[in-house]
Structures are given as structure tokens and as C-alpha cells.
Amino acid sequence: MILSIGLNPAVDVTYHVSTLTVGTTNRVNRAHAHAGGKATNVARVLHQLGEPVCLISMAGGRTGDDFRADLQSSGIPAELVPIAGATRRTVAVIDAAAATLLNEPGPTVSRAEWRTFLMTYQMSLSRARVVVLCGSIPPGVPTDAYQELTELAHSAGVMTILDTEGPKLLKALAARPTVVKLNLEELSATMSRDVHDDADLAAAALGLRERGAQAVVVSRGSDGVVAITDSGIWQAVATTISGNPTGAGDALAAGLAVGLAHGREWEAILIDAVALATAAVAVEVAGAVDVAVLERVRTTVSRRPE
């Protein structure tokens, strides 16, 4: 079982427009709304792959009702702690050039609600092999939440993937997460240093390992993924395709979780994870992969140890 943990879930709204023009009215060609947020997207991809998964999150208000109903209709197993505040919304505006994101901050979580969430999480660890911790922390949740969640997982003998950035990531490193996943921009901001080339990337990632990360996976967009691990530095690159990149990072995290859960070596983990991320770009909304694209690009992923 893989647990996907979302502290700040959302109802994701995706608008497709021909060209996004700021400061004027934009006509929406297509619109879609569903339960989202990074952890939910990870759970969706795992569910699509047939992997045993459970989403553990929080939900409140009318948007929380919509969130819960969409998960049920999608068949995604979930444990949702009720909260008084309304679940947030995120908006992605997609045109031919790029994706523009508008993310609400999320509801305030009370101390009692947080304690209930922790109890739900702890009870679920006994059936898990891997926990994916990803996304932002809503108001009211302790800033060291990821450190506590990682420590609880390791005490239960469960591997952890931490997909976040900044101070909340740095605080969690003391708990020695199994894998830290982030992109170049997040790596640069977290380590307060510019990352211009492979040497800069390796130095910044090694800095995270020195602080406690057991392995660091850095996504570089169309340039693929680099993993800094105990067995060396690995990289994987897939054929670039056009589409919506919004959920690619979440599909990558799902792929890493599958690889860890099945005890695969890093080379195999990266091949499948990069292929999943690429196949996610081919789908209009986050939280799904194009299976036909997945099978095609899996054979085109190039990889080599550095």
C-alpha cells in the first residue's frame, strides 16, 4: 500500500483558452473541475496504474463536499478528516504557450483537527510500504508537520517521499526522508543558491543529503530527472511532448513511490517515473496519464549513471 498525504487539498479547476491575455476578458473553450492538489494527483495516477493506494487528507465546506464526492465517483480510496474551514480551489489556465496557476492559500486547521489527522495517519501506517508527503501546509498546521509525519513513518518502518520546498523541507530533513523530490527552481530557492549547470545541481542536492535526505531527485523539465543516491548520480530523459505540464511532477512522484514499493533499483525507478511524467503531459488535466503514450515513451527513455 502507498499512502498519499495531502495537508492542503483543493478542488482543481482547469480552463482551456486559445490565448491568455491579461487585463481583458478571456473566452474559455473547455473547463474541468475535480478533486485535486498534489497528493490527490499522486493518488489518482497510482489508482490508474492499479497500485494499492489511499489518500489521507482533510475536507471541509461546500468545496470539501465536492472534493469528497469526486473521489468517491472516481473510486479512489481515501480517509478524509472533516474540518470546519472550506477546502480551497486552484485554477489552471492553459493556452498554447503555457499554464498559468492561481492557488488559494487554504483553510485554517484547528489544533483538534490536526490531532485527529495525526491519529488517522498513524493508524494507516501499519498497512503502508511508502508514504508520499507533498504540497503546501495550510494555516494552523505546525510548520514542522512534515518532520513529524516523516518521523512517524520511519518509526513504523515505512519509506517516505517528500515533495515540497523551502523551510518546511529543510525542517523535515532531520527526520531523514527516504527521497526528497523537487524541481530546479525549488532546489535553488530552498538552498539559496543559483543552479546554472550540472555541477551546481549536484552541489545543491548533496547539501540536502548532508542535512539528512537519503536520496534527492531533481526534475529538470524537458531535460529529464537527476537522482543523487547512495549508489551514485543517475539521470533519465524522455522524448519531449507538447501538452499540459501541470501534473507531470505529481506523476513523477507516483512513479518514484511505485519503484520504492516494489524494491526496484534506481535505474529502473527513474525510467518508469520519467515515462509517467511524460505521459501525464499528454493529458489535459492533472492526475492522469495517457497509457498509450506511457508505453511508447518508456522505450525511448535514455539513462546513464554519472
Side-chain angles (χ1 to χ4, degrees):
M1 170 75 73
I2 298 172
L3 300 181
S4 187
I5 311 303
L7 303 183
N8 202 13
V11 172
D12 284 349
V13 181
T14 303
Y15 292 134
H16 293 268
V17 300
S18 298
T19 303
L20 177 62
T21 305
V22 177
T24 187
T25 300
N26 291 269
R27 183 176 297 278
V28 176
N29 299 324
R30 297 187 308 282
H32 181 82
H34 68 178
K38 293 179 70 64
T40 308
N41 293 340
V42 170
R44 282 187 183 278
V45 172
L46 292 170
H47 182 67
Q48 182 182 357
L49 296 175
E51 293 288 335
V53 62
C54 182
L55 171 68
I56 302 179
S57 193
M58 297 178 264
R62 291 184 178 179
T63 46
D65 292 339
D66 293 340
F67 183 88
R68 188 184 302 272
D70 186 67
L71 288 176
Q72 291 174 345
S73 65
S74 301
I76 299 172
E79 296 279 351
L80 301 181
V81 174
I83 60 173
T87 299
R88 68 187 179 126
R89 293 163 297 182
T90 66
V91 177
V93 183
I94 312 295
D95 67 8
T100 301
L101 305 182
L102 302 172
N103 294 338
E104 295 179 1
T108 298
V109 177
S110 71
R111 290 183 180 179
E113 291 165 346
W114 175 240
R115 286 196 297 270
T116 301
F117 181 89
L118 284 177
M119 286 189 292
T120 302
Y121 174 72
Q122 285 181 278
M123 288 188 293
S124 299
L125 285 173
S126 62
R127 53 196 174 106
R129 288 184 57 81
V130 179
V131 170
V132 183
L133 303 159
C134 51
S136 58
I137 295 177
V141 171
T143 57
D144 64 351
Y146 281 136
Q147 178 179 351
E148 182 173 12
L149 294 172
T150 302
E151 288 172 345
L152 290 171
H154 282 190
S155 295
V158 179
M159 293 176 285
T160 52
I161 297 173
L162 183 55
D163 183 2
T164 190
E165 61 178 307
K168 53 186 176 293
L169 167 58
L170 294 175
K171 288 182 179 180
L173 293 179
R176 292 190 51 76
T178 310
V179 177
V180 166
K181 174 203 160 291
L182 66 180
N183 60 35
L184 280 177
E185 181 180 346
E186 292 165 343
L187 177 63
S188 178
T190 299
M191 299 304 288
S192 300
R193 60 183 299 165
D194 293 331
V195 179
H196 296 297
D197 53 28
D198 290 347
D200 292 337
L201 185 155
L206 287 171
L208 291 175
R209 292 198 70 205
E210 289 170 357
R211 297 189 185 202
Q214 296 181 49
V216 179
V217 174
V218 183
S219 59
R220 303 182 295 174
S222 60
D223 291 327
V225 169
V226 174
I228 293 86
T229 75
D230 285 337
S231 61
I233 300 178
W234 298 82
Q235 67 176 8
V237 181
T239 301
T240 301
I241 66 172
S242 60
N244 175 19
T246 306
D250 304 327
L252 179 67
L256 296 174
V258 171
L260 289 180
H262 290 274
R264 294 171 183 158
E265 298 295 330
W266 269 108
E267 182 178 14
I269 291 174
L270 288 186
I271 290 170
D272 285 344
V274 170
L276 274 173
T278 305
V281 175
V283 183
E284 288 189 342
V285 295
V289 296
D290 186 313
V291 176
V293 172
L294 173 62
E295 295 304 320
R296 185 174 75 248
V297 301
R298 183 181 275 124
T299 63
T300 68
V301 175
S302 61
R303 67 277 186 190
R304 66 181 179 89
E306 291 192 349

